[in-house]
Amino acid sequence: SIAQFTSLGSDSVARTTYANIGESHSTGVSLSVNTTLFQKLNLNINGSSHYIQFTSTIDGKLRNIDGYDCNVFASAAYRFNKSWRVSGNFSYYSPGIFFQGTITGNTRHSATINKTFLKDGKAALTLTANNPFQKHRRSHSEINDPSFRLVQESNSLTRQLRLSFSYRFGKLQGD
């Protein structure tokens, strides 16, 4: 399997690159459900879970790592009439594993209000709030190597408010 890996040089500098360093096996299950209720409410949920196994040789050292991961996405959209729509979604990503270590999981969520107007709804104004309840997202990854340990942490701004305008000029014509 071609994968990212990090090694520590004789100068104590960690270098990350890609190479064919081993094998990965994944066994999992996915589920997707989508339904419409009352002709105006659409509900959607998708999920997957996997058992992952990594076997690798980095710097002549054999490593075996295994674990589970899980992802879930859910959304709901309600259409009040032809021109007004509200929607929201939530995503969960479990902590993950890779050839040399682990990475934190995270959640994401958003809410959207959409108004279409003009003839045949050609124009739309959309207001979206991404992660309104989470200002920052902390990411943490660890590389555990027999010769070194590397911890990387970052904190990124995730809360966003977005206003967009779109206009459809026409339809594509097929042969």
Side-chain angles (χ1 to χ4, degrees):
S1 178
I2 296 175
Q4 177 180 304
F5 75 97
T6 302
S7 60
L8 190 64
S10 59
D11 56 359
S12 297
V13 174
R15 291 176 176 82
T16 302
T17 188
Y18 289 84
N20 187 354
I21 59 172
E23 294 181 7
S24 64
H25 301 277
S26 177
T27 303
V29 62
S30 297
L31 177 67
S32 180
V33 177
N34 187 354
T35 189
T36 301
L37 302 173
F38 317 114
Q39 295 180 338
K40 293 188 175 197
L41 177 64
N42 182 272
L43 301 173
N44 182 21
I45 187 164
N46 297 297
S48 66
S49 182
H50 299 90
Y51 175 69
I52 304 166
Q53 295 172 294
F54 294 116
T55 302
S56 63
T57 303
I58 300 174
D59 295 332
K61 298 170 187 145
L62 181 64
R63 301 158 199 228
N64 292 304
I65 298 174
D66 65 337
Y68 292 90
D69 76 357
C70 170
N71 303 307
V72 177
F73 173 81
S75 67
Y78 186 81
R79 184 171 296 281
F80 291 98
N81 53 41
K82 285 186 176 183
S83 64
W84 284 98
R85 182 176 185 244
V86 296
S87 61
N89 69 58
F90 174 82
S91 301
Y92 168 78
Y93 303 91
S94 72
I97 63 168
F98 56 97
F99 278 101
Q100 287 179 286
T102 60
I103 190 163
T104 54
N106 66 67
T107 59
R108 299 173 186 191
H109 52 283
S110 70
T112 300
I113 300 170
N114 179 271
K115 166 72 174 149
T116 57
F117 50 96
L118 297 181
K119 184 180 176 184
D120 297 325
K122 285 190 173 233
L125 195 59
T126 304
L127 179 65
T128 302
N130 288 322
N131 302 301
F133 306 112
Q134 181 183 22
K135 186 175 182 179
H136 293 97
R137 177 174 299 122
R138 179 184 159 269
S139 295
H140 176 94
S141 66
E142 277 188 44
I143 294 176
N144 294 304
D145 187 275
S147 59
F148 70 96
R149 181 172 180 251
L150 177 64
V151 176
Q152 294 176 311
E153 289 200 30
S154 65
N155 202 19
S156 57
L157 183 63
T158 60
R159 187 182 297 161
Q160 298 175 341
L161 188 61
R162 182 176 300 141
L163 179 65
S164 63
F165 173 80
S166 63
Y167 183 83
R168 287 185 295 127
F169 290 95
K171 294 182 179 180
L172 293 174
Q173 300 297 322
D175 290 336

